[in-house]
Amino acid sequence: MPDENSPVGVPATAMVPVAQIFRRDAPGPWWPAGIDLLQILWCPNEHWDPPAQQADISPVLEVRWRRAADVISQLTTPPSPSRYDEDGYLPQACAITAEHVTDFPFREELPAELRPRLEELVRETGDGGDVITRLAGWKLGGWPTWHLTQPTVFPCDACGTAMTLLFTVASDDETGVVVGRWGDLRIFTCPADHRHAFQVDLH
């Protein structure tokens, strides 16, 4: 899909594939019924006046829920963008092996009865961050970090349901991606209906 938010007089550019995930590789509660393919793309340019649900001064994302059987013609080489603001907005193409891990909420979101034990672990390890509970890096599902702000709830604009974390794009050397100040770009979706608008947050 071209960058439809291009400034006047600037040619549109192709979206860049960020992730493609099949249900068979990463089963979980985030999959809508009848859907087995998730595709995430973004415009590799910083948008200073993005759509309301997108993060400021970041690539604008698109989330596509599809049925793999409906994908008849496949592009072996996606079109290259005609312009991009940062090299960090062009992920290095790679294939990954899905690894199922247990993730926990940010420490301030844990049940009260678990907090004394967590505080003990923090003292024992000398870690003042949230790595004890929250797994860092690229991930489907799991829990977001809130180490820069207080925990935030994103209500769905369509139905008011609290949105849940769908996907995290993390800055790292392996993929060559850098968002924000070496941060995370997170996609939150409505668990009641995947067709409702998603929310993007830069942390």
Side-chain angles (χ1 to χ4, degrees):
M1 175 178 176
D3 171 15
E4 296 177 352
N5 295 320
S6 303
V8 175
V10 177
T13 189
M15 300 285 275
V16 172
V18 174
Q20 176 170 276
I21 304 165
F22 290 92
R23 185 174 192 149
R24 63 177 180 268
D25 297 323
W30 39 79
W31 291 101
I35 299 295
D36 61 357
L37 176 60
L38 170 63
Q39 294 175 322
I40 299 171
L41 304 96
W42 70 23
C43 170
N45 294 282
E46 291 182 342
H47 290 250
W48 291 75
D49 187 21
Q53 79 274 17
Q54 301 277 351
D56 289 333
I57 318 174
S58 300
V60 166
L61 285 94
E62 181 175 332
V63 175
R64 297 179 181 175
W65 296 102
R66 309 179 71 178
R67 281 183 276 271
D70 295 339
V71 182
I72 306 301
S73 58
Q74 301 182 22
L75 289 174
T76 55
T77 304
S80 298
S82 59
R83 58 187 174 84
Y84 55 92
D85 287 340
E86 303 285 346
D87 289 338
Y89 295 161
L90 300 176
Q92 298 296 318
C94 63
I96 61 171
T97 301
E99 181 179 357
H100 300 272
V101 295
T102 301
D103 201 14
F104 294 97
F106 185 56
R107 59 185 181 179
E108 293 182 15
E109 297 181 287
L110 288 171
E113 62 269 20
L114 294 180
R115 292 181 186 175
R117 176 58 182 146
L118 177 61
E119 291 173 2
E120 182 180 337
L121 284 172
V122 169
R123 285 193 300 271
E124 290 174 357
T125 62
D127 172 49
D130 64 342
V131 297
I132 290 177
T133 56
R134 192 260 335 172
L135 293 173
W138 290 58
K139 61 185 177 183
L140 179 68
W143 297 89
T145 179
W146 299 109
H147 64 276
L148 297 178
T149 64
Q150 292 298 314
T152 301
V153 174
F154 296 108
C156 173
D157 288 341
C159 66
T161 302
M163 303 179 94
T164 55
L165 180 65
L166 172 69
F167 195 78
T168 300
V169 179
S171 299
D172 66 48
D173 291 323
E174 188 170 346
T175 61
V177 167
V178 179
V179 290
R181 297 180 178 177
W182 202 261
D184 293 344
L185 201 63
R186 296 96 62 91
I187 304 171
F188 294 83
T189 54
C190 177
D193 193 330
H194 73 284
R195 294 166 295 186
H196 293 170
F198 58 87
Q199 176 77 38
V200 180
D201 170 70
L202 177 62
H203 194 84

